[in-house]
């Protein structure tokens, strides 16, 4: 487990599948992602088996310290971990709407970057974000990500082209 002031990141497990599917399929989450397909139990369990269980992904459930207990509110991960080049790709989302905008995603991102640069000894953590996702971009900048590239009309979602920003944080 990884711990911050208000958040705990615990390793994801198969028992989290119901929450992940529920959170990820909500439009306020899905519409902010590059990959906007609906999640299914089968697709998530395949992800766990082929990515998490094999170590290609380090994924955690974001829990907040709440009234003497912990409550799961989202997920955060490092994927495509490349030890040769000391880098990985980052992703995060808060799936409980009432906890958006309260700083939990920012804190969880700080915690996982400390883990990435400290424990995993990575040099670079990169991400891709829709240019229209202003809230996420501000969060990323706040914790040290910088823009590395801007790609016009990079993907098509809901019959509309979207721009993608590549960002990175460095150890």
């Amino acid at each position: 487990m990884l711990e911050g002031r208000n958040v705990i990141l615990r390793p994801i497990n198969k028992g989290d599948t119901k929450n992940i599917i529920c959170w990820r399929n909500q439009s306020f989450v899905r519409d902010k992602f590059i990959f906007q397909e609906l999640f299914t139990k089968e697709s998530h369990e395949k992800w766990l088996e082929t990515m998490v269980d094999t170590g290609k992904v380090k994924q955690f459930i974001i829990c907040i310290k709440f009234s003497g207990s912990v409550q799961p509110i989202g997920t955060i991960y490092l994927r495509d971990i490349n030890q040769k080049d000391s880098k990985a790709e980052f992703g995060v989302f808060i799936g409980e709407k009432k906890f958006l905008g309260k700083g939990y995603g920012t804190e969880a991102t700080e915690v996982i970057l400390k883990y990435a640069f400290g424990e995993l000894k990575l040099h670079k953590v990169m991400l891709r974000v829709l240019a229209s996702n202003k809230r996420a971009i501000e969060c990323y900048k706040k914790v040290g990500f910088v823009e590395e590239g801007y790609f016009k009309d990079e993907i098509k979602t809901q019959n509309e082209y979207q721009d993608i920003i590549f960002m990175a944080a460095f150890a």
Side-chain angles (χ1 to χ4, degrees):
M1 286 206 309
L2 309 173
E3 192 165 347
R5 294 173 312 282
N6 301 300
V7 301
I8 295 171
L9 307 183
R10 67 159 175 78
I12 193 169
N13 62 56
K14 195 171 182 177
D16 295 310
T17 299
K18 184 176 177 182
N19 274 344
I20 293 291
I21 292 167
C22 174
W23 292 335
R24 187 59 175 75
N25 287 339
Q26 297 175 97
S27 62
F28 79 90
V29 174
R30 190 179 69 248
D31 293 349
K32 303 292 184 199
F33 267 77
I34 292 168
F35 178 77
Q36 296 188 355
E37 306 301 317
L38 288 174
F39 272 35
T40 65
K41 180 178 184 221
E42 294 76 23
S43 66
H44 183 68
E45 287 177 352
K46 183 176 181 183
W47 167 267
L48 290 174
E49 290 170 18
T50 61
M51 302 300 281
V52 176
D53 293 348
T54 62
K56 294 176 185 171
V57 172
K58 300 287 186 187
Q59 187 167 3
F60 301 88
I61 297 297
I62 303 168
C63 299
I64 58 168
K65 301 170 187 178
F66 191 75
S67 300
S69 64
V70 294
Q71 178 176 346
I73 64 165
T75 189
I76 192 165
Y77 61 83
L78 297 167
R79 66 175 283 164
D80 301 328
I81 299 168
N82 177 335
Q83 291 296 341
K84 177 190 168 291
D85 296 320
S86 302
K87 66 181 183 174
E89 184 170 351
F90 165 83
V92 62
F93 68 82
I94 302 297
E96 297 289 339
K97 199 170 197 171
K98 66 183 175 184
F99 295 112
L100 287 174
K102 301 200 181 306
Y104 298 122
T106 301
E107 184 179 344
T109 302
E110 291 170 335
V111 170
I112 205 162
L113 286 176
K114 184 177 177 184
Y115 168 75
F117 298 138
E119 192 167 325
L120 297 181
K121 306 281 190 246
L122 299 179
H123 171 69
K124 178 180 181 176
V125 174
M126 62 83 63
L127 63 84
R128 296 171 288 161
V129 61
L130 293 173
S132 60
N133 193 348
K134 303 298 185 199
R135 180 186 295 204
I137 293 166
E138 287 309 308
C139 165
Y140 302 145
K141 286 180 179 178
K142 191 183 301 182
V143 299
F145 281 90
V146 295
E147 186 174 321
E148 288 197 307
Y150 192 101
F151 294 78
K152 297 282 297 166
D153 293 347
E154 183 69 7
I155 64 166
K156 190 175 183 180
T157 60
Q158 301 168 5
N159 290 323
E160 186 177 307
Y161 288 99
Q162 299 277 334
D163 300 347
I164 300 293
I165 297 174
F166 281 67
M167 300 179 82
F170 297 87

Short mmCIF file of all heavy atoms in Angstrom, two decimals, residues 38-86:
data_model
loop_
_atom_site.label_atom_id
_atom_site.label_comp_id
_atom_site.label_asym_id
_atom_site.label_seq_id
_atom_site.Cartn_x
_atom_site.Cartn_y
_atom_site.Cartn_z
N LEU A 38 -17.04 0.74 -23.71
CA LEU A 38 -17.60 0.29 -22.43
C LEU A 38 -16.77 -0.87 -21.89
O LEU A 38 -16.32 -1.73 -22.65
CB LEU A 38 -19.05 -0.14 -22.59
CG LEU A 38 -20.06 0.99 -22.83
CD1 LEU A 38 -21.44 0.40 -23.12
CD2 LEU A 38 -20.13 1.92 -21.63
N PHE A 39 -16.56 -0.87 -20.59
CA PHE A 39 -15.87 -1.97 -19.92
C PHE A 39 -16.87 -3.08 -19.61
O PHE A 39 -18.03 -2.80 -19.29
CB PHE A 39 -15.26 -1.48 -18.60
CG PHE A 39 -13.88 -0.92 -18.73
CD1 PHE A 39 -13.48 -0.21 -19.84
CD2 PHE A 39 -12.97 -1.10 -17.71
CE1 PHE A 39 -12.20 0.32 -19.94
CE2 PHE A 39 -11.69 -0.59 -17.80
CZ PHE A 39 -11.30 0.12 -18.91
N THR A 40 -16.41 -4.31 -19.67
CA THR A 40 -17.23 -5.46 -19.27
C THR A 40 -16.44 -6.23 -18.20
O THR A 40 -15.23 -6.03 -18.04
CB THR A 40 -17.49 -6.40 -20.45
OG1 THR A 40 -16.24 -6.96 -20.88
CG2 THR A 40 -18.18 -5.69 -21.61
N LYS A 41 -17.13 -7.11 -17.53
CA LYS A 41 -16.47 -7.96 -16.54
C LYS A 41 -15.35 -8.75 -17.22
O LYS A 41 -14.24 -8.85 -16.69
CB LYS A 41 -17.49 -8.91 -15.90
CG LYS A 41 -16.91 -9.83 -14.86
CD LYS A 41 -17.97 -10.72 -14.24
CE LYS A 41 -17.33 -11.55 -13.15
NZ LYS A 41 -17.78 -12.90 -13.12
N GLU A 42 -15.64 -9.30 -18.38
CA GLU A 42 -14.67 -10.11 -19.10
C GLU A 42 -13.44 -9.29 -19.52
O GLU A 42 -12.31 -9.74 -19.36
CB GLU A 42 -15.31 -10.75 -20.35
CG GLU A 42 -16.39 -11.76 -20.04
CD GLU A 42 -17.72 -11.14 -19.60
OE1 GLU A 42 -17.99 -9.96 -19.93
OE2 GLU A 42 -18.48 -11.84 -18.90
N SER A 43 -13.68 -8.08 -20.04
CA SER A 43 -12.54 -7.27 -20.49
C SER A 43 -11.69 -6.82 -19.30
O SER A 43 -10.45 -6.80 -19.39
CB SER A 43 -13.00 -6.06 -21.30
OG SER A 43 -13.73 -5.13 -20.51
N HIS A 44 -12.33 -6.51 -18.19
CA HIS A 44 -11.55 -6.10 -17.02
C HIS A 44 -10.76 -7.27 -16.43
O HIS A 44 -9.59 -7.12 -16.07
CB HIS A 44 -12.43 -5.46 -15.95
CG HIS A 44 -11.64 -4.98 -14.78
ND1 HIS A 44 -10.76 -3.93 -14.87
CD2 HIS A 44 -11.53 -5.44 -13.53
CE1 HIS A 44 -10.16 -3.76 -13.71
NE2 HIS A 44 -10.61 -4.67 -12.87
N GLU A 45 -11.39 -8.44 -16.36
CA GLU A 45 -10.68 -9.60 -15.82
C GLU A 45 -9.51 -10.00 -16.73
O GLU A 45 -8.46 -10.41 -16.24
CB GLU A 45 -11.64 -10.76 -15.60
CG GLU A 45 -12.55 -10.51 -14.40
CD GLU A 45 -13.57 -11.60 -14.14
OE1 GLU A 45 -13.74 -12.52 -14.98
OE2 GLU A 45 -14.23 -11.52 -13.08
N LYS A 46 -9.68 -9.83 -18.04
CA LYS A 46 -8.57 -10.09 -18.97
C LYS A 46 -7.44 -9.11 -18.72
O LYS A 46 -6.26 -9.47 -18.73
CB LYS A 46 -9.05 -10.01 -20.43
CG LYS A 46 -7.96 -10.35 -21.42
CD LYS A 46 -8.48 -10.36 -22.84
CE LYS A 46 -7.34 -10.72 -23.78
NZ LYS A 46 -7.74 -10.68 -25.17
N TRP A 47 -7.76 -7.83 -18.48
CA TRP A 47 -6.77 -6.81 -18.15
C TRP A 47 -5.99 -7.23 -16.89
O TRP A 47 -4.77 -7.16 -16.86
CB TRP A 47 -7.46 -5.47 -17.94
CG TRP A 47 -6.65 -4.39 -17.30
CD1 TRP A 47 -6.58 -4.09 -15.96
CD2 TRP A 47 -5.79 -3.45 -17.95
NE1 TRP A 47 -5.74 -3.03 -15.75
CE2 TRP A 47 -5.24 -2.61 -16.95
CE3 TRP A 47 -5.43 -3.23 -19.28
CZ2 TRP A 47 -4.35 -1.58 -17.24
CZ3 TRP A 47 -4.56 -2.19 -19.55
CH2 TRP A 47 -4.03 -1.39 -18.56
N LEU A 48 -6.72 -7.66 -15.87
CA LEU A 48 -6.06 -8.09 -14.64
C LEU A 48 -5.10 -9.25 -14.90
O LEU A 48 -3.96 -9.23 -14.43
CB LEU A 48 -7.10 -8.49 -13.58
CG LEU A 48 -7.92 -7.36 -12.97
CD1 LEU A 48 -8.99 -7.93 -12.05
CD2 LEU A 48 -7.06 -6.36 -12.22
N GLU A 49 -5.56 -10.23 -15.66
CA GLU A 49 -4.75 -11.42 -15.92
C GLU A 49 -3.53 -11.14 -16.80
O GLU A 49 -2.44 -11.63 -16.54
CB GLU A 49 -5.60 -12.50 -16.60
CG GLU A 49 -6.65 -13.12 -15.70
CD GLU A 49 -7.62 -14.01 -16.46
OE1 GLU A 49 -7.31 -14.43 -17.60
OE2 GLU A 49 -8.70 -14.28 -15.91
N THR A 50 -3.72 -10.36 -17.86
CA THR A 50 -2.65 -10.17 -18.83
C THR A 50 -1.75 -8.98 -18.54
O THR A 50 -0.62 -8.94 -19.02
CB THR A 50 -3.21 -10.02 -20.26
OG1 THR A 50 -4.05 -8.86 -20.30
CG2 THR A 50 -3.99 -11.25 -20.67
N MET A 51 -2.23 -8.03 -17.76
CA MET A 51 -1.44 -6.82 -17.51
C MET A 51 -1.01 -6.70 -16.04
O MET A 51 0.18 -6.60 -15.76
CB MET A 51 -2.24 -5.58 -17.93
CG MET A 51 -2.65 -5.60 -19.40
SD MET A 51 -1.27 -5.68 -20.56
CE MET A 51 -0.76 -3.99 -20.55
N VAL A 52 -1.97 -6.72 -15.13
CA VAL A 52 -1.65 -6.53 -13.71
C VAL A 52 -0.91 -7.74 -13.14
O VAL A 52 0.16 -7.61 -12.54
CB VAL A 52 -2.92 -6.21 -12.90
CG1 VAL A 52 -2.61 -6.10 -11.41
CG2 VAL A 52 -3.57 -4.92 -13.41
N ASP A 53 -1.48 -8.92 -13.36
CA ASP A 53 -0.88 -10.14 -12.79
C ASP A 53 0.51 -10.44 -13.36
O ASP A 53 1.31 -11.11 -12.71
CB ASP A 53 -1.79 -11.36 -12.98
CG ASP A 53 -3.08 -11.26 -12.18
OD1 ASP A 53 -3.17 -10.38 -11.29
OD2 ASP A 53 -4.00 -12.06 -12.44
N THR A 54 0.80 -9.95 -14.55
CA THR A 54 2.10 -10.19 -15.18
C THR A 54 3.12 -9.10 -14.84
O THR A 54 4.28 -9.21 -15.24
CB THR A 54 1.97 -10.28 -16.71
OG1 THR A 54 1.49 -9.02 -17.20
CG2 THR A 54 1.05 -11.40 -17.14
N GLY A 55 2.69 -8.06 -14.14
CA GLY A 55 3.60 -6.98 -13.76
C GLY A 55 3.79 -5.90 -14.80
O GLY A 55 4.57 -4.97 -14.61
N LYS A 56 3.07 -6.00 -15.93
CA LYS A 56 3.17 -4.97 -16.95
C LYS A 56 2.50 -3.68 -16.50
O LYS A 56 2.77 -2.61 -17.03
CB LYS A 56 2.54 -5.45 -18.26
CG LYS A 56 3.28 -6.60 -18.90
CD LYS A 56 2.54 -7.09 -20.13
CE LYS A 56 3.22 -8.32 -20.69
NZ LYS A 56 2.43 -8.94 -21.75
N VAL A 57 1.60 -3.81 -15.51
CA VAL A 57 0.87 -2.67 -14.96
C VAL A 57 0.93 -2.76 -13.45
O VAL A 57 0.75 -3.83 -12.88
CB VAL A 57 -0.61 -2.69 -15.43
CG1 VAL A 57 -1.42 -1.62 -14.72
CG2 VAL A 57 -0.71 -2.52 -16.93
N LYS A 58 1.17 -1.60 -12.83
CA LYS A 58 1.03 -1.46 -11.37
C LYS A 58 -0.21 -0.61 -11.18
O LYS A 58 -0.22 0.59 -11.47
CB LYS A 58 2.24 -0.75 -10.76
CG LYS A 58 3.56 -1.46 -10.98
CD LYS A 58 3.67 -2.69 -10.14
CE LYS A 58 5.07 -3.30 -10.30
NZ LYS A 58 5.19 -4.57 -9.65
N GLN A 59 -1.31 -1.26 -10.76
CA GLN A 59 -2.59 -0.55 -10.63
C GLN A 59 -3.06 -0.59 -9.18
O GLN A 59 -2.93 -1.62 -8.51
CB GLN A 59 -3.65 -1.16 -11.55
CG GLN A 59 -4.94 -0.35 -11.55
CD GLN A 59 -5.88 -0.75 -12.68
OE1 GLN A 59 -5.62 -1.67 -13.44
NE2 GLN A 59 -6.99 -0.03 -12.77
N PHE A 60 -3.60 0.53 -8.75
CA PHE A 60 -4.05 0.69 -7.38
C PHE A 60 -5.47 1.25 -7.35
O PHE A 60 -5.88 1.95 -8.26
CB PHE A 60 -3.13 1.67 -6.63
CG PHE A 60 -1.70 1.25 -6.60
CD1 PHE A 60 -0.83 1.61 -7.62
CD2 PHE A 60 -1.21 0.50 -5.55
CE1 PHE A 60 0.51 1.22 -7.60
CE2 PHE A 60 0.12 0.09 -5.51
CZ PHE A 60 0.98 0.46 -6.53
N ILE A 61 -6.17 0.94 -6.28
CA ILE A 61 -7.45 1.56 -6.00
C ILE A 61 -7.18 2.77 -5.10
O ILE A 61 -6.47 2.65 -4.10
CB ILE A 61 -8.42 0.57 -5.30
CG1 ILE A 61 -8.73 -0.61 -6.23
CG2 ILE A 61 -9.70 1.27 -4.85
CD1 ILE A 61 -9.46 -0.24 -7.52
N ILE A 62 -7.73 3.92 -5.49
CA ILE A 62 -7.61 5.12 -4.67
C ILE A 62 -8.67 5.04 -3.59
O ILE A 62 -9.87 4.98 -3.89
CB ILE A 62 -7.81 6.40 -5.50
CG1 ILE A 62 -6.81 6.47 -6.66
CG2 ILE A 62 -7.73 7.64 -4.61
CD1 ILE A 62 -7.13 7.54 -7.69
N CYS A 63 -8.24 5.05 -2.35
CA CYS A 63 -9.15 5.05 -1.20
C CYS A 63 -8.91 6.34 -0.42
O CYS A 63 -7.77 6.79 -0.31
CB CYS A 63 -8.90 3.85 -0.29
SG CYS A 63 -9.13 2.25 -1.10
N ILE A 64 -9.98 6.90 0.10
CA ILE A 64 -9.81 8.07 0.95
C ILE A 64 -10.08 7.68 2.40
O ILE A 64 -10.87 6.79 2.68
CB ILE A 64 -10.73 9.24 0.53
CG1 ILE A 64 -12.20 8.84 0.54
CG2 ILE A 64 -10.30 9.78 -0.82
CD1 ILE A 64 -13.14 10.02 0.41
N LYS A 65 -9.36 8.36 3.27
CA LYS A 65 -9.56 8.18 4.70
C LYS A 65 -10.83 8.96 5.04
O LYS A 65 -10.89 10.18 4.85
CB LYS A 65 -8.36 8.70 5.46
CG LYS A 65 -7.07 8.01 5.08
CD LYS A 65 -5.87 8.71 5.68
CE LYS A 65 -4.58 8.12 5.15
NZ LYS A 65 -3.39 8.80 5.67
N PHE A 66 -11.85 8.24 5.50
CA PHE A 66 -13.18 8.84 5.64
C PHE A 66 -13.84 8.32 6.91
O PHE A 66 -14.12 7.12 7.01
CB PHE A 66 -14.00 8.47 4.39
CG PHE A 66 -15.30 9.19 4.24
CD1 PHE A 66 -15.33 10.52 3.84
CD2 PHE A 66 -16.49 8.54 4.49
CE1 PHE A 66 -16.52 11.18 3.67
CE2 PHE A 66 -17.70 9.20 4.33
CZ PHE A 66 -17.71 10.52 3.92
N SER A 67 -14.03 9.17 7.88
CA SER A 67 -14.73 8.82 9.13
C SER A 67 -14.18 7.55 9.78
O SER A 67 -14.94 6.65 10.15
CB SER A 67 -16.23 8.67 8.89
OG SER A 67 -16.77 9.86 8.38
N GLY A 68 -12.87 7.46 9.91
CA GLY A 68 -12.26 6.32 10.57
C GLY A 68 -12.15 5.06 9.74
O GLY A 68 -11.71 4.02 10.23
N SER A 69 -12.55 5.12 8.48
CA SER A 69 -12.42 3.96 7.60
C SER A 69 -11.87 4.45 6.26
O SER A 69 -11.52 5.61 6.12
CB SER A 69 -13.78 3.26 7.41
OG SER A 69 -14.68 4.13 6.77
N VAL A 70 -11.79 3.55 5.30
CA VAL A 70 -11.35 3.96 3.96
C VAL A 70 -12.45 3.66 2.96
O VAL A 70 -13.16 2.66 3.08
CB VAL A 70 -10.04 3.25 3.54
CG1 VAL A 70 -8.88 3.70 4.41
CG2 VAL A 70 -10.16 1.76 3.57
N GLN A 71 -12.61 4.55 2.00
CA GLN A 71 -13.63 4.38 0.97
C GLN A 71 -12.97 4.43 -0.40
O GLN A 71 -12.27 5.39 -0.72
CB GLN A 71 -14.68 5.49 1.07
CG GLN A 71 -15.73 5.39 -0.02
CD GLN A 71 -16.83 6.42 0.13
OE1 GLN A 71 -16.98 7.06 1.15
NE2 GLN A 71 -17.62 6.56 -0.92
N PRO A 72 -13.19 3.39 -1.24
CA PRO A 72 -12.63 3.41 -2.60
C PRO A 72 -13.38 4.43 -3.46
O PRO A 72 -14.62 4.50 -3.42
CB PRO A 72 -12.85 1.98 -3.09
CG PRO A 72 -13.94 1.43 -2.25
CD PRO A 72 -13.92 2.17 -0.95
N ILE A 73 -12.61 5.23 -4.23
CA ILE A 73 -13.24 6.26 -5.05
C ILE A 73 -12.75 6.28 -6.50
O ILE A 73 -13.28 7.02 -7.31
CB ILE A 73 -13.07 7.67 -4.44
CG1 ILE A 73 -11.59 8.07 -4.40
CG2 ILE A 73 -13.71 7.75 -3.06
CD1 ILE A 73 -11.36 9.55 -4.15
N GLY A 74 -11.72 5.49 -6.82
CA GLY A 74 -11.20 5.52 -8.17
C GLY A 74 -9.99 4.62 -8.32
O GLY A 74 -9.72 3.78 -7.46
N THR A 75 -9.26 4.81 -9.40
CA THR A 75 -8.09 3.98 -9.66
C THR A 75 -6.98 4.80 -10.30
O THR A 75 -7.23 5.85 -10.90
CB THR A 75 -8.45 2.76 -10.54
OG1 THR A 75 -7.35 1.87 -10.58
CG2 THR A 75 -8.83 3.16 -11.94
N ILE A 76 -5.76 4.28 -10.15
CA ILE A 76 -4.58 4.95 -10.68
C ILE A 76 -3.59 3.86 -11.09
O ILE A 76 -3.55 2.80 -10.44
CB ILE A 76 -3.99 5.91 -9.63
CG1 ILE A 76 -2.94 6.84 -10.22
CG2 ILE A 76 -3.49 5.17 -8.41
CD1 ILE A 76 -2.62 8.04 -9.30
N TYR A 77 -2.84 4.09 -12.16
CA TYR A 77 -1.93 3.02 -12.59
C TYR A 77 -0.73 3.56 -13.34
O TYR A 77 -0.71 4.69 -13.84
CB TYR A 77 -2.66 2.01 -13.48
CG TYR A 77 -3.22 2.59 -14.76
CD1 TYR A 77 -2.42 2.75 -15.89
CD2 TYR A 77 -4.56 2.98 -14.85
CE1 TYR A 77 -2.92 3.28 -17.06
CE2 TYR A 77 -5.07 3.51 -16.02
CZ TYR A 77 -4.25 3.66 -17.12
OH TYR A 77 -4.75 4.21 -18.27
N LEU A 78 0.28 2.70 -13.41
CA LEU A 78 1.43 2.86 -14.29
C LEU A 78 1.41 1.65 -15.21
O LEU A 78 1.35 0.52 -14.74
CB LEU A 78 2.73 2.89 -13.49
CG LEU A 78 2.88 4.04 -12.52
CD1 LEU A 78 4.04 3.80 -11.57
CD2 LEU A 78 3.05 5.36 -13.26
N ARG A 79 1.44 1.89 -16.50
CA ARG A 79 1.38 0.78 -17.47
C ARG A 79 2.57 0.87 -18.42
O ARG A 79 3.24 1.88 -18.48
CB ARG A 79 0.07 0.79 -18.25
CG ARG A 79 -0.09 2.00 -19.15
CD ARG A 79 -1.32 1.95 -20.01
NE ARG A 79 -1.07 1.04 -21.11
CZ ARG A 79 -2.01 0.52 -21.88
NH1 ARG A 79 -3.27 0.82 -21.70
NH2 ARG A 79 -1.70 -0.29 -22.85
N ASP A 80 2.74 -0.21 -19.19
CA ASP A 80 3.85 -0.28 -20.14
C ASP A 80 5.16 0.09 -19.45
O ASP A 80 5.96 0.87 -19.97
CB ASP A 80 3.59 0.60 -21.37
CG ASP A 80 2.32 0.20 -22.10
OD1 ASP A 80 1.98 -1.00 -22.10
OD2 ASP A 80 1.65 1.08 -22.66
N ILE A 81 5.35 -0.47 -18.28
CA ILE A 81 6.55 -0.19 -17.50
C ILE A 81 7.76 -0.75 -18.25
O ILE A 81 7.81 -1.93 -18.56
CB ILE A 81 6.44 -0.78 -16.08
CG1 ILE A 81 5.25 -0.13 -15.36
CG2 ILE A 81 7.73 -0.59 -15.30
CD1 ILE A 81 4.85 -0.81 -14.07
N ASN A 82 8.69 0.13 -18.56
CA ASN A 82 9.85 -0.20 -19.37
C ASN A 82 11.10 0.07 -18.52
O ASN A 82 11.54 1.22 -18.41
CB ASN A 82 9.83 0.65 -20.64
CG ASN A 82 11.02 0.46 -21.54
OD1 ASN A 82 12.09 0.07 -21.09
ND2 ASN A 82 10.83 0.76 -22.82
N GLN A 83 11.65 -0.97 -17.92
CA GLN A 83 12.81 -0.80 -17.06
C GLN A 83 14.06 -0.42 -17.86
O GLN A 83 14.90 0.32 -17.36
CB GLN A 83 13.07 -2.08 -16.23
CG GLN A 83 12.01 -2.34 -15.19
CD GLN A 83 11.94 -1.27 -14.10
OE1 GLN A 83 12.85 -0.51 -13.89
NE2 GLN A 83 10.81 -1.23 -13.41
N LYS A 84 14.18 -0.90 -19.09
CA LYS A 84 15.34 -0.57 -19.92
C LYS A 84 15.46 0.93 -20.11
O LYS A 84 16.54 1.51 -19.95
CB LYS A 84 15.25 -1.28 -21.26
CG LYS A 84 16.39 -0.92 -22.22
CD LYS A 84 16.11 -1.45 -23.61
CE LYS A 84 17.05 -0.90 -24.65
NZ LYS A 84 16.88 0.52 -24.92
N ASP A 85 14.35 1.58 -20.46
CA ASP A 85 14.35 3.02 -20.70
C ASP A 85 13.87 3.82 -19.49
O ASP A 85 13.75 5.04 -19.57
CB ASP A 85 13.49 3.35 -21.92
CG ASP A 85 14.06 2.72 -23.19
OD1 ASP A 85 15.30 2.73 -23.35
OD2 ASP A 85 13.27 2.22 -24.02
N SER A 86 13.56 3.14 -18.39
CA SER A 86 13.15 3.77 -17.13
C SER A 86 11.94 4.69 -17.30
O SER A 86 11.95 5.84 -16.87
CB SER A 86 14.31 4.55 -16.51
OG SER A 86 15.41 3.72 -16.28
#
